[in-house]
Amino acid sequence: MMVVFTLFSQGCSLGLIYIIYSNIPQVGGWTMWEIYLLYGFLLFSEGFINFFFQGAWKITNMIYMSDLDRFLTRPISVGLQLLTAKIDFDGLNKMVIAAALLGIGISKCEIHWTVFKGIFFLAFLAEACVIRLCMIWIASCMSFWMKSKSNSLNYFVISLGEMAKYPLAIYPPIFQGIFGYLIPYAFVSYYPVGYILEKEGMTAGAACTPLVCLCMVAAAYLVLKLGLRRYESTSY
């Protein structure tokens, strides 16, 4: 049933893109196939997190139910235990769809491939997964301060990803700032894919992607550390 739902929801999203581009050849200087490549990056990172690190979504419930206690007593990283506490096979479905989109996008777009560009492509895809995981992780860890059994911040963060399926250039400056600096979706797909496609003005953003990735990892680690300190001193 989950496979059907995933196919239906992703089919609707892709169908919407097709309808838009059937009337407008380009949006923000990007063609339909280039948008599918952008979409593939986002969907692959989402599927990767859902399949391998679904535990990032479950932190709120673990805190509320005091399930963290069993992780704190084990001689293994608490963060690693939380991340791998659960997997979701729907994530595998998304990765398969994303791989197909990436394959179609690559075949339809005029990309001048080199060995280094191929390496960059794989590195960007890995960094996209890490950056997006850190976004969800940080949002979920806010539950340490909320004292509530629900936390909608992680769903808010993932919902913003729907806007990141389109070129950053089409949005007003305020949204470009949000996606570039506050919730860095631009470094998940826009700059990496733009660099691969040799779009103008993408080199600086693509070059900063590894730095953004490291900063997000550091921020995620710090938030967890501070959150665990609060958890130890608070009765839930």
Side-chain angles (χ1 to χ4, degrees):
M1 183 61 70
M2 186 58 70
V3 174
V4 175
F5 176 77
T6 300
L7 289 173
F8 177 76
S9 61
Q10 299 304 325
C12 289
S13 296
L14 294 171
L16 177 61
I17 293 174
Y18 178 80
I19 291 172
I20 292 173
Y21 277 88
S22 64
N23 297 296
I24 306 173
Q26 292 190 359
V27 174
W30 292 61
T31 67
M32 181 180 71
W33 301 116
E34 291 171 344
I35 294 295
Y36 281 160
L37 197 58
L38 200 68
Y39 191 111
F41 255 71
L42 285 163
L43 186 60
F44 187 89
S45 63
E46 182 178 337
F48 182 86
I49 295 165
N50 288 353
F51 184 66
F52 291 104
F53 302 115
Q54 181 68 4
W57 290 91
K58 306 300 180 182
I59 294 175
T60 301
N61 187 59
M62 292 180 188
I63 294 172
Y64 185 76
M65 301 299 294
S66 296
D67 283 346
L68 282 183
D69 295 344
R70 59 192 176 96
F71 295 135
L72 292 170
T73 58
R74 296 173 181 172
I76 306 174
S77 167
V78 176
L80 182 60
Q81 292 182 76
L82 288 172
L83 284 173
T84 57
K86 184 177 176 61
I87 64 173
D88 185 350
F89 283 96
D90 183 50
L92 186 60
N93 300 329
K94 291 178 180 178
M95 282 194 289
V96 171
I97 296 172
L101 282 174
L102 291 172
I104 293 172
I106 289 171
S107 66
K108 295 292 184 178
C109 296
E110 296 182 0
I111 301 175
H112 302 98
W113 287 105
T114 64
V115 173
F116 286 111
K117 185 172 284 190
I119 294 173
F120 287 151
F121 180 88
L122 296 176
F124 286 146
L125 196 58
E127 288 164 350
C129 294
V130 174
I131 293 173
R132 205 165 190 198
L133 173 60
C134 289
M135 290 183 195
I136 297 171
W137 180 262
I138 292 170
S140 295
C141 282
M142 291 298 104
S143 296
F144 283 109
W145 288 269
M146 289 182 174
K147 297 184 180 181
S148 172
K149 62 180 179 180
S150 62
N151 178 2
S152 59
L153 283 177
N154 45 16
Y155 293 99
F156 172 72
V157 169
I158 205 72
S159 295
L160 282 179
E162 294 298 311
M163 298 178 67
K165 292 174 181 176
Y166 299 93
L168 187 66
I170 71 173
Y171 296 111
I174 185 171
F175 284 104
Q176 293 184 27
I178 290 173
F179 290 141
Y181 303 101
L182 185 59
I183 305 176
Y185 270 109
F187 297 93
V188 173
S189 56
Y190 180 67
Y191 288 128
V193 174
Y195 177 80
I196 295 296
L197 294 172
E198 298 182 5
K199 296 283 186 181
E200 186 177 353
M202 297 293 175
T203 303
C208 289
T209 300
L211 178 60
V212 172
C213 184
L214 290 174
C215 288
M216 290 298 293
V217 170
Y221 174 79
L222 179 61
V223 169
L224 175 63
K225 186 175 181 179
L226 294 175
L228 287 175
R229 187 179 302 169
R230 179 175 176 81
Y231 177 80
E232 292 172 349
S233 61
T234 305
S235 177
Y236 285 87

